[in-house]
Amino acid sequence: EPEVTQTPSHQVTQMGQEVILRCVPISNHLYFYWYRQILGQKVEFLVSFYNNEISEKSEIFDDQFSVERPDGSNFTLKIRSTKLEDSAMYFCASSERNTGANVLTFGAGSRLTVL
Amino acid sequence: KQEVTQIPAALSVPEGENLVLNCSFTDSAIYNLQWFRQDPGKGLTSLLLIQSSQREQTSGRLNASLDKSSGRSTLYIAASQPGDSATYLCAGSHNNAGNMLTFGGGTRLMVKP
């Protein structure tokens, strides 16, 4: 079964460092997303991306965050200067469509620990 | 702003029991409601999606219902098995793109052999 792949599975970084989380969505999917889950809290929407543009973003997704599809297969989330509160599990997801029965397929997540 | 709540937060049942997980949402203008399963250290697996025009969806031993007027969804698991042990999350979308999901806090289910 097709799956969304995320790397790294766990990254530890120092506060203020830049981090790039990588995702390989399902090959025929056109819509891509990042969500995050701080330990013990709910899963939260960050951003959706289509046709090389951000479609929607939440208030969490401030200027410290950026997304990019650098080639035909990868989708990345960059955090420019990490803060302690950025420590979370970051989930990438993709979907075939964006209307109606829009089923998102999630990756296993990248755990980010900021020290 | 949509708020999604799941009760109970944790549930422990013996194998074979039928059980109901509850999800409530504050904004009835919901476009679809999805139920996910989350296993420790793994991603979210979509179980069922109910579009706003539908009342329920079924897949195997799982049945999910949606009542927009009361702001509720339930996930019914028949004849529970130890392999059903996981955290179950419901999420509603509040736009017709169905991509900005608002998640509940989850119900952590333990099915004991």
Side-chain angles (χ1 to χ4, degrees), chain B residues 51-72:
Chain B
Q51 297 183 66
S52 60
S53 58
Q54 300 171 327
R55 294 297 299 270
E56 65 178 331
Q57 285 287 330
T58 298
S59 176
R61 294 182 294 107
L62 305 180
N63 175 276
S65 65
L66 175 64
D67 183 344
K68 290 177 62 177
S69 60
S70 67
R72 291 184 182 181

Side-chain angles (χ1 to χ4, degrees), chain A residues 15-113:
Chain A
M15 192 168 55
Q17 294 296 304
E18 175 183 282
V19 161
I20 297 177
L21 305 178
R22 292 182 167 79
C23 170
V24 179
I26 293 174
S27 60
N28 66 331
H29 285 186
L30 301 176
Y31 301 87
F32 314 115
Y33 318 90
W34 285 99
Y35 283 77
R36 79 171 185 190
Q37 185 176 31
I38 295 171
L39 188 64
Q41 298 187 22
K42 296 179 179 181
V43 177
E44 302 171 289
F45 171 79
L46 292 179
V47 67
S48 62
F49 189 87
Y50 168 71
N51 199 26
N52 282 320
E53 289 184 345
I54 291 174
S55 315
E56 305 274 358
K57 60 181 182 178
S58 71
E59 56 194 26
I60 302 169
F61 194 87
D62 61 21
D63 291 344
Q64 291 297 312
F65 291 90
S66 62
V67 289
E68 191 180 29
R69 189 153 163 82
D71 52 45
S73 59
N74 290 283
F75 178 52
T76 62
L77 173 70
K78 181 192 290 186
I79 309 175
R80 288 192 183 84
S81 178
T82 50
K83 307 183 190 71
L84 296 176
E85 55 264 37
D86 293 327
S87 294
M89 181 74 89
Y90 288 82
F91 292 107
C92 173
S94 67
S95 66
E96 215 175 332
R97 63 174 74 88
N98 74 337
T99 57
N102 182 29
V103 178
L104 273 63
T105 301
F106 282 80
S110 292
R111 179 170 298 285
L112 175 64
T113 301

